[in-house]
Amino acid sequence: GKALTVKAFLTALLCKHPVSSGEACGECSACTRDLTGNHPDVVWIAPEKNRKIKIEQIRKAKAALNLKPFESNNNACVIEDAHMMTIEASNALLKVLEELPGESLIILISSKRELLLPTVLSRCSEVRFEGLWVETTMEIIRENSDIGKDDAYLLAFFSEGSPGRALEM
């Protein structure tokens, strides 16, 4: 659910024509692009299976954040499973956080807060997530896949309210 929430947040932030409630229009190029790899103003870092996030990935993100946004008013970097950063990558990120350029935004996604450097945490605002209700998780699963109602219920139940985990299953 955290990654899906980040995608929705960034889509609303980068949207060219937000509706009056501040939600994304769903039609502009910022809304229709895949934020994990197809938006010019978003760097999405995720570790490969059983691998660490390396300093080179953070350096590339820093370089991208220092560029003027191409399509929107903001640049963003999302680091999924941020607890998988090496110490060197964490220290490089710390420097980026201390000198964040312009209207840039960095979002760290982690289920293991205790594995992040305290100095990194001290420069971030924390948003906590709780598991969703089974019914809500089931709705999200059905909206994002072609899974039937009974299977969606089982996935929602066994994922403990995590739509992301359920969709991976």
Side-chain angles (χ1 to χ4, degrees):
K2 292 183 277 295
L4 289 173
T5 301
V6 168
K7 287 178 187 177
F9 171 74
L10 284 178
T11 301
L13 179 72
L14 301 173
C15 179
K16 293 276 194 193
H17 311 288
V19 294
S20 60
S21 64
E23 293 180 46
C25 70
E27 297 175 1
C28 70
S29 62
C31 289
T32 57
R33 290 180 187 259
D34 174 18
L35 295 175
T36 62
N38 197 21
H39 196 290
D41 301 325
V42 177
V43 176
W44 195 287
I45 299 172
E48 294 177 24
K49 189 171 185 151
N50 299 322
R51 297 215 171 221
K52 296 280 190 181
I53 296 171
K54 298 188 173 156
I55 190 170
E56 294 82 18
Q57 293 170 281
I58 303 302
R59 286 179 178 155
K60 285 181 184 176
K62 179 183 178 183
L65 290 173
N66 280 315
L67 297 173
K68 183 179 179 202
F70 178 75
E71 191 172 87
S72 52
N73 296 325
N74 306 80
N75 280 329
C77 174
V78 178
I79 304 175
E80 199 169 348
D81 292 330
H83 57 274
M84 296 293 290
M85 285 187 288
T86 64
I87 294 295
E88 295 82 11
S90 295
N91 285 322
L93 176 65
L94 185 58
K95 290 181 182 179
V96 176
L97 289 169
E98 290 171 345
E99 302 167 5
L100 198 59
E103 296 296 318
S104 297
L105 175 68
I106 297 176
I107 299 174
L108 307 179
I109 303 173
S110 179
S111 58
K112 298 177 181 166
R113 178 187 193 279
E114 66 278 2
L115 296 179
L116 293 167
L117 288 180
T119 49
V120 169
L121 288 173
S122 70
R123 287 160 177 79
C124 298
S125 298
E126 184 176 2
V127 177
R128 293 183 156 267
F129 285 77
E130 300 294 327
L132 300 174
W133 294 98
V134 171
E135 293 79 15
T136 305
T137 306
M138 192 171 102
E139 287 176 28
I140 294 170
I141 293 167
R142 298 213 49 214
E143 288 172 5
N144 290 282
S145 70
D146 58 354
I147 295 174
K149 187 175 182 178
D150 292 340
D151 289 337
Y153 177 81
L154 286 173
L155 287 172
F157 180 81
F158 287 111
S159 70
E160 299 175 336
S162 171
R165 189 179 309 133
L167 290 169
E168 284 178 12
M169 291 180 188

